[in-house]
Amino acid sequence: MALKQNNLHVYNTLSRSKEIFKPIAPPFVGMYVCGPTVYGDAHIGHAKSYVSFDVIVRYLRHLGYNVRYVQNITDVGHLTDDADQGEDKVEKKARAEQVHPMQIAEKFTRSYFEDMDRLNVRRPDISPRASGHIIEQIELVKRLIAAGHAYEIDGNVYFDVASWPKYGRLSGRSVDQMQAGARVEVNAEKRHPADFALWKRIEPGHIMRWQSPWSLGYPGWHLECSAMSMKYLGESFDIHGGGIENQFPHHEDEIAQAEAATGKSFVKYWLHNNMVTVGGQKMGKSLGNFITLQDAFKKWDPMVLRLFILQSHYRSPLDFSDEALGAAKEGLARILGLSERVIRTLMQWPGGLSYPIPRPSDDRPFVVDARRRFSEAMDDDFNTPLALAAIFDLVREANRSIETQTLSMDFLHSIYYALFDLCEEILGLCAETSAAASQYVPALVQIFIDLRNEARAAKNFAQADTIRKRLDEIGIVLEDTPEGTKWRFK
Ligand SMILES: [Zn+2]
């Protein structure tokens, strides 16, 4: 697909300004986003982060870029203290539940993807696990030691920040400031308080362990992202995303590890999304205002949550409240209501609904205007609130036209595609969520079971067999038991 004309600008944390987006080797775009540490249920903070980056990827693809989207799974090495101290989060949870750490990692990796599926977040192209890339991480540490940027003491390996003058560039901190601001240093092994662990020797009882040239141990948390992003995207790539809270030390350390090893510029554009607050307060497990996605979904349709997230800019904080969610629910109903109305009107039109629905030959001025405003908003650092404002104006104008003007098929097709292209393909808002499917499938299957029973009671066995056979063909198996007919997926 040819690249569409665009004027995309993105806010780059590295330069603290909006820059024109020019990938290193267009139309290819390499994009890496820090993924979840899989030791607990995903929460609304994860939803904001991964919905935002999902829309960024969708928009880049809409523009014609060939995006390779990599998002890691952290299953080892992330300690309870984001710096180098404390216990491995996955191991800690495994100990509490008396299971193997990999069971915890697997369980929460699956539930993470299930939650994201419900939010209609498309899965990344590659989801590399840290524990599956130990060799690559050890190789990177070897390169850093050989280049004089890392040192080993007693089985632990640290990055030597004093050897890397650019350290602090992303977060705007200098190594001297870090020295002055450092609390009493508990780790006497480090040459400088800001030095960070690349490899850690295991303590007794530590289960996740690998042999290395330095000790039986495990990698430092920051290392995986440098190693895995460069493995799949090359030593220099276009976009690195993540939460604003990971600018320091995580992303700063990623840059240092990569650039000190390769001598090349690591990432061209750094994109950071902001966090979720609840009633104006930071969300946290310890504060008791922590909202998991599974809890949120009990109350709110995942698509309502998705629209709510997109109604604020990804770089702005998002305050979660029932009132705001209620407003998003109404907004979603307006968009989906128009979509249904267009389909219903087409169905009533003789020969009106045919698949695929034809693209219109042209759009009315208000549709052209909405599409232009949407593109301008998205080109301005993915400004989804402004893009949505254009959509809501389109919805209002389209409803008015349907009520007051002579309609044409072309016009209805034009509205259909404006909603499809902008809302569904780019913003990922659609009625058919897996939640909706999981709600309707059992009810629909039950209707067929009832019809089959009626056919059997009327001794119309051919009809009953046809129903069973047709369901079987689409993967739904009926089983007659003493308690009645049960069904399951094949
Ligand atoms: Zn990362």
PDB file of all heavy atoms in Angstrom, residues 359-370:
ATOM      1  N   ARG A 359     -18.069   1.191  -1.695  1.00  0.00           N
ATOM      2  CA  ARG A 359     -17.532   2.504  -1.310  1.00  0.00           C
ATOM      3  C   ARG A 359     -18.315   3.575  -2.061  1.00  0.00           C
ATOM      4  O   ARG A 359     -18.647   3.387  -3.233  1.00  0.00           O
ATOM      5  CB  ARG A 359     -16.054   2.604  -1.701  1.00  0.00           C
ATOM      6  CG  ARG A 359     -15.119   1.793  -0.831  1.00  0.00           C
ATOM      7  CD  ARG A 359     -14.495   2.670   0.246  1.00  0.00           C
ATOM      8  NE  ARG A 359     -13.828   1.871   1.269  1.00  0.00           N
ATOM      9  CZ  ARG A 359     -13.446   2.359   2.454  1.00  0.00           C
ATOM     10  NH1 ARG A 359     -13.681   3.633   2.757  1.00  0.00           N
ATOM     11  NH2 ARG A 359     -12.860   1.605   3.330  1.00  0.00           N
ATOM     12  N   PRO A 360     -18.619   4.718  -1.426  1.00  0.00           N
ATOM     13  CA  PRO A 360     -19.389   5.759  -2.115  1.00  0.00           C
ATOM     14  C   PRO A 360     -18.539   6.423  -3.188  1.00  0.00           C
ATOM     15  O   PRO A 360     -17.300   6.411  -3.099  1.00  0.00           O
ATOM     16  CB  PRO A 360     -19.698   6.744  -0.988  1.00  0.00           C
ATOM     17  CG  PRO A 360     -18.594   6.548  -0.010  1.00  0.00           C
ATOM     18  CD  PRO A 360     -18.216   5.104  -0.080  1.00  0.00           C
ATOM     19  N   SER A 361     -19.226   7.009  -4.208  1.00  0.00           N
ATOM     20  CA  SER A 361     -18.444   7.678  -5.251  1.00  0.00           C
ATOM     21  C   SER A 361     -17.915   9.020  -4.749  1.00  0.00           C
ATOM     22  O   SER A 361     -16.854   9.457  -5.147  1.00  0.00           O
ATOM     23  CB  SER A 361     -19.282   7.862  -6.518  1.00  0.00           C
ATOM     24  OG  SER A 361     -20.532   8.418  -6.173  1.00  0.00           O
ATOM     25  N   ASP A 362     -18.670   9.677  -3.871  1.00  0.00           N
ATOM     26  CA  ASP A 362     -18.089  10.853  -3.196  1.00  0.00           C
ATOM     27  C   ASP A 362     -18.817  11.098  -1.872  1.00  0.00           C
ATOM     28  O   ASP A 362     -19.817  10.467  -1.574  1.00  0.00           O
ATOM     29  CB  ASP A 362     -18.096  12.107  -4.085  1.00  0.00           C
ATOM     30  CG  ASP A 362     -19.503  12.577  -4.398  1.00  0.00           C
ATOM     31  OD1 ASP A 362     -20.403  12.336  -3.575  1.00  0.00           O
ATOM     32  OD2 ASP A 362     -19.703  13.184  -5.455  1.00  0.00           O
ATOM     33  N   ASP A 363     -18.262  12.003  -1.073  1.00  0.00           N
ATOM     34  CA  ASP A 363     -18.831  12.311   0.238  1.00  0.00           C
ATOM     35  C   ASP A 363     -19.453  13.697   0.216  1.00  0.00           C
ATOM     36  O   ASP A 363     -18.985  14.590  -0.496  1.00  0.00           O
ATOM     37  CB  ASP A 363     -17.712  12.304   1.302  1.00  0.00           C
ATOM     38  CG  ASP A 363     -17.203  10.902   1.599  1.00  0.00           C
ATOM     39  OD1 ASP A 363     -18.005   9.951   1.592  1.00  0.00           O
ATOM     40  OD2 ASP A 363     -15.982  10.764   1.859  1.00  0.00           O
ATOM     41  N   ARG A 364     -20.507  13.863   1.014  1.00  0.00           N
ATOM     42  CA  ARG A 364     -21.068  15.216   1.148  1.00  0.00           C
ATOM     43  C   ARG A 364     -20.074  16.105   1.904  1.00  0.00           C
ATOM     44  O   ARG A 364     -19.234  15.601   2.638  1.00  0.00           O
ATOM     45  CB  ARG A 364     -22.386  15.155   1.922  1.00  0.00           C
ATOM     46  CG  ARG A 364     -23.499  14.594   1.056  1.00  0.00           C
ATOM     47  CD  ARG A 364     -24.859  14.863   1.641  1.00  0.00           C
ATOM     48  NE  ARG A 364     -25.836  14.048   0.951  1.00  0.00           N
ATOM     49  CZ  ARG A 364     -27.100  13.927   1.320  1.00  0.00           C
ATOM     50  NH1 ARG A 364     -27.543  14.574   2.378  1.00  0.00           N
ATOM     51  NH2 ARG A 364     -27.919  13.166   0.633  1.00  0.00           N
ATOM     52  N   PRO A 365     -20.206  17.436   1.736  1.00  0.00           N
ATOM     53  CA  PRO A 365     -19.190  18.331   2.336  1.00  0.00           C
ATOM     54  C   PRO A 365     -18.976  18.097   3.833  1.00  0.00           C
ATOM     55  O   PRO A 365     -17.831  18.132   4.299  1.00  0.00           O
ATOM     56  CB  PRO A 365     -19.757  19.724   2.067  1.00  0.00           C
ATOM     57  CG  PRO A 365     -20.587  19.556   0.836  1.00  0.00           C
ATOM     58  CD  PRO A 365     -21.160  18.169   0.890  1.00  0.00           C
ATOM     59  N   PHE A 366     -20.055  17.810   4.581  1.00  0.00           N
ATOM     60  CA  PHE A 366     -19.827  17.668   6.033  1.00  0.00           C
ATOM     61  C   PHE A 366     -19.036  16.393   6.362  1.00  0.00           C
ATOM     62  O   PHE A 366     -18.309  16.333   7.339  1.00  0.00           O
ATOM     63  CB  PHE A 366     -21.149  17.749   6.821  1.00  0.00           C
ATOM     64  CG  PHE A 366     -21.979  16.495   6.852  1.00  0.00           C
ATOM     65  CD1 PHE A 366     -21.748  15.513   7.819  1.00  0.00           C
ATOM     66  CD2 PHE A 366     -22.999  16.292   5.928  1.00  0.00           C
ATOM     67  CE1 PHE A 366     -22.525  14.368   7.853  1.00  0.00           C
ATOM     68  CE2 PHE A 366     -23.774  15.150   5.961  1.00  0.00           C
ATOM     69  CZ  PHE A 366     -23.535  14.169   6.928  1.00  0.00           C
ATOM     70  N   VAL A 367     -19.141  15.372   5.493  1.00  0.00           N
ATOM     71  CA  VAL A 367     -18.357  14.149   5.708  1.00  0.00           C
ATOM     72  C   VAL A 367     -16.896  14.399   5.341  1.00  0.00           C
ATOM     73  O   VAL A 367     -15.977  14.000   6.066  1.00  0.00           O
ATOM     74  CB  VAL A 367     -18.941  12.967   4.887  1.00  0.00           C
ATOM     75  CG1 VAL A 367     -18.130  11.700   5.138  1.00  0.00           C
ATOM     76  CG2 VAL A 367     -20.410  12.745   5.233  1.00  0.00           C
ATOM     77  N   VAL A 368     -16.711  15.112   4.244  1.00  0.00           N
ATOM     78  CA  VAL A 368     -15.340  15.476   3.835  1.00  0.00           C
ATOM     79  C   VAL A 368     -14.678  16.277   4.954  1.00  0.00           C
ATOM     80  O   VAL A 368     -13.529  16.037   5.334  1.00  0.00           O
ATOM     81  CB  VAL A 368     -15.366  16.322   2.528  1.00  0.00           C
ATOM     82  CG1 VAL A 368     -13.973  16.839   2.188  1.00  0.00           C
ATOM     83  CG2 VAL A 368     -15.934  15.488   1.376  1.00  0.00           C
ATOM     84  N   ASP A 369     -15.442  17.199   5.503  1.00  0.00           N
ATOM     85  CA  ASP A 369     -14.927  18.069   6.568  1.00  0.00           C
ATOM     86  C   ASP A 369     -14.565  17.258   7.809  1.00  0.00           C
ATOM     87  O   ASP A 369     -13.512  17.461   8.424  1.00  0.00           O
ATOM     88  CB  ASP A 369     -16.008  19.116   6.895  1.00  0.00           C
ATOM     89  CG  ASP A 369     -15.490  20.160   7.850  1.00  0.00           C
ATOM     90  OD1 ASP A 369     -14.442  20.750   7.526  1.00  0.00           O
ATOM     91  OD2 ASP A 369     -16.106  20.364   8.916  1.00  0.00           O
ATOM     92  N   ALA A 370     -15.427  16.309   8.186  1.00  0.00           N
ATOM     93  CA  ALA A 370     -15.161  15.490   9.378  1.00  0.00           C
ATOM     94  C   ALA A 370     -13.904  14.645   9.173  1.00  0.00           C
ATOM     95  O   ALA A 370     -13.062  14.539  10.068  1.00  0.00           O
ATOM     96  CB  ALA A 370     -16.354  14.592   9.676  1.00  0.00           C
TER      97      ALA A 370
END
